[in-house]
Amino acid sequence: MKILVLNCGSSSLKYQLIDMATEAALAKGLVERIGIANPRLVHEKEGAGKVTIEAEIPNHDVAVKLVIEALMHKDHGVISHIGEIAAAGHRVVHGGEFFTKSAIVTAEVKKAISECVALAPLHNPANLIGIEACEKLMGATPQVAVFDTAFHQTMPEKSYLYAISYGLYEKYRIRKYGFHGTSHYYVTGRAAAMLDKPIESLKLISCHLGNGASVCAVDGGKAVDTSMGLTPLEGLMMGTRSGDMDPAAVSFIMDKEGLTTKQMESLLNKESGVLGISGISSDFRDIEAAVKEGNARAKVALDMFHYRVAKYIGSYAAAMNGVDAVIFTAGIGENGIGTRLAICEYLGYLGIAADTEKNNVRGKEVDFSAKGAKVRCLVVPTNEELVIARDTLALCK
Ligand code: AMP
């Protein structure tokens, strides 16, 4: 059975076709610049290199059509008929309080996704457009929505409520939702397998450190707290996002700089974080290179990032009254050898100690804890597409 996994952004569409017999991706790709100048599709058949297809791509309907054509192409295709795609699984960023797990797309599900648009104005509309484009092109083929927020719905009130008027929660559902749920779910499951222990017996802290970054406390397989909030802006310092700060600083900056709410949102989401502090880049490879050349602001940006991740790990160890393993995943977590070591150095008091030799890996599952360390340290490459495909398959069986 083959499942098409789609992740639609406002001007992009990422996809993978996964063969569920082997759970291997047969093909994957990215449509970029949908609805703007110079759009293109970069498609890769497993083991056969990339092809770039340039075409008019005015909307997501055309993008999905091109993806299906690429998947059926005589040279770089992997299927001969659209009917070979048993189902499509869609990443949906915000499921609000409606969804605690993935769902087959129905009219009610689409209505609930659109009711969450106010909570994720950049993402949910694009996710819905992708679902509707597939519905038009794929007829009765089942569509499944997999939510970034669903895994975090097990958080107790004491974790997810903000200490503001309860009436605002009741009126607008203002609360912590959390994101990267499929990633935290996948890596904590893999961690239990690596440790050869039932997940129900483990206290895990998952650090998804990519351009967007979040930490999640998972007790007995259930998320009990997470660093992202109502939106993906809260929590860690990120590539271009500020993460935690005093909310009073927001109105102060708006007053002083004469900024509108949109401009302020853009400043906090796109011009802050590692980019804002370093003034160089949001990309950790550029920052590490600048640090080597003696750039002081790049150094402070990197130090802040490490320090803030370590503080979250410490606070989540307290929240769970213990921790068995800390997991590092996503671009920086999987590849940032120095970053992992720097974070672990803060955490000796918890019983965390890294083995520098074992830590010397990129993009591979490894337990890099020093011999005898009380808390295990793991690298687990994430695979959100596989979680989406598995959930899709489970709901369509
Ligand atoms: P993601 O959003 O998960 O794709 O992660 C993107 C981030 O991972 C960027 O900041 C990259 O600089 C970082 N990254 C990717 N490869 C490396 C590497 N080899 N060393 C350090 N950071 C890396």
Side-chain angles (χ1 to χ4, degrees):
M1 197 184 244
K2 294 176 186 102
I3 306 265
L4 180 60
V5 174
L6 290 140
N7 180 355
C8 285
S10 52
S11 65
S12 68
L13 188 170
K14 262 198 239 166
Y15 63 93
Q16 274 192 18
L17 186 70
I18 299 183
D19 182 351
M20 297 313 289
T22 56
E23 295 196 329
L26 301 172
K28 60 184 165 195
L30 171 67
V31 189
E32 287 175 296
R33 306 181 60 83
I34 300 168
I36 45 182
N38 309 317
R40 61 190 194 142
L41 184 162
V42 180
H43 173 87
E44 186 177 4
K45 175 180 173 176
E46 184 53 35
K50 290 181 180 167
V51 285
T52 300
I53 298 152
E54 282 172 11
E56 285 295 301
I57 315 181
N59 54 48
H60 286 73
D61 290 358
V62 176
V64 172
K65 190 161 170 280
L66 279 178
V67 167
I68 290 168
E69 280 170 12
L71 290 169
M72 297 195 305
H73 192 273
K74 63 179 173 37
D75 299 325
H76 49 260
V78 288
I79 53 173
S80 49
H81 185 260
I82 190 169
E84 286 182 52
I85 302 174
H90 298 261
R91 176 191 183 213
V92 179
V93 166
H94 220 306
E97 290 184 329
F98 295 110
F99 299 101
T100 56
K101 52 187 191 310
S102 304
I104 295 223
V105 173
T106 60
E108 292 81 64
V109 166
K110 284 198 284 180
K111 184 164 172 283
I113 295 172
S114 58
E115 280 177 27
C116 296
V117 162
L119 298 170
L122 297 179
H123 294 99
N124 272 34
N127 301 153
L128 263 179
I129 287 170
I131 289 172
E132 287 179 343
C134 284
E135 284 177 335
K136 276 186 222 156
L137 275 157
M138 299 172 78
T141 306
Q143 311 286 324
V144 169
V146 179
F147 301 91
D148 267 22
T149 49
F151 180 60
H152 303 295
Q153 279 294 306
T154 49
M155 284 190 290
E157 272 181 319
K158 66 181 177 188
S159 307
Y160 72 67
L161 283 177
Y162 292 126
I164 53 175
S165 156
Y166 194 82
L168 287 169
Y169 165 63
E170 290 178 313
K171 203 165 162 191
Y172 303 112
R173 288 347 228 187
I174 304 281
R175 50 161 283 179
K176 183 185 274 286
Y177 289 96
F179 299 86
H180 296 138
T182 39
S183 176
H184 291 301
Y185 167 72
Y186 176 78
V187 300
T188 49
R190 285 301 310 149
M194 286 167 76
L195 298 169
D196 199 19
K197 295 219 169 102
I199 196 150
E200 293 73 21
S201 70
L202 292 169
K203 294 176 194 289
L204 301 169
I205 298 176
S206 163
C207 307
H208 178 111
L209 310 179
N211 198 32
S214 69
V215 186
C216 184
V218 180
D219 195 346
K222 292 198 161 52
V224 293
D225 208 340
T226 193
S227 59
M228 282 180 167
L230 175 75
T231 76
L233 181 56
E234 189 183 346
L236 296 176
M237 172 184 185
M238 304 177 217
T240 61
R241 290 175 229 165
S242 65
D244 296 335
M245 60 188 280
D246 184 345
V250 176
S251 47
F252 185 95
I253 296 166
M254 288 174 76
D255 283 349
K256 292 285 178 199
E257 297 277 312
L259 301 181
T260 62
T261 45
K262 280 265 164 295
Q263 288 169 321
M264 190 64 205
E265 253 177 51
S266 170
L267 186 148
L268 293 172
N269 278 292
K270 298 188 181 147
E271 297 162 40
S272 300
V274 170
L275 172 67
I277 294 293
S278 70
I280 294 174
S281 169
S282 61
D283 191 301
F284 273 62
R285 286 162 291 197
D286 300 339
I287 298 298
E288 284 174 2
V291 172
K292 278 202 186 114
E293 285 164 15
N295 186 300
R297 269 174 50 194
K299 171 90 171 73
V300 78
L302 209 52
D303 286 348
M304 284 172 72
F305 181 82
H306 300 154
Y307 177 66
R308 287 171 173 230
V309 177
K311 281 206 297 183
Y312 262 103
I313 294 171
S315 72
Y316 286 170
M320 293 192 288
N321 195 9
V323 54
D324 296 301
V326 177
I327 305 153
F328 293 87
T329 193
I332 303 156
E334 292 167 27
N335 299 295
I337 293 169
T339 289
R340 290 194 299 258
L341 276 187
I343 294 167
C344 289
E345 268 169 25
Y346 281 102
L347 300 165
Y349 74 99
L350 281 177
I352 287 177
D355 179 317
T356 46
E357 284 294 308
K358 290 186 194 154
N359 179 50
N360 209 11
V361 294
R362 296 187 202 277
K364 267 201 277 190
E365 279 189 1
V366 70
D367 178 340
F368 67 94
S369 339
K371 209 167 164 221
K374 201 172 117 229
V375 177
R376 317 309 298 168
C377 285
L378 311 174
V379 179
V380 182
T382 194
N383 195 342
E384 290 157 285
E385 291 78 10
L386 184 56
V387 176
I388 295 173
R390 284 177 180 165
D391 273 18
T392 303
L393 178 68
L395 283 167
C396 294
K397 261 184 181 164

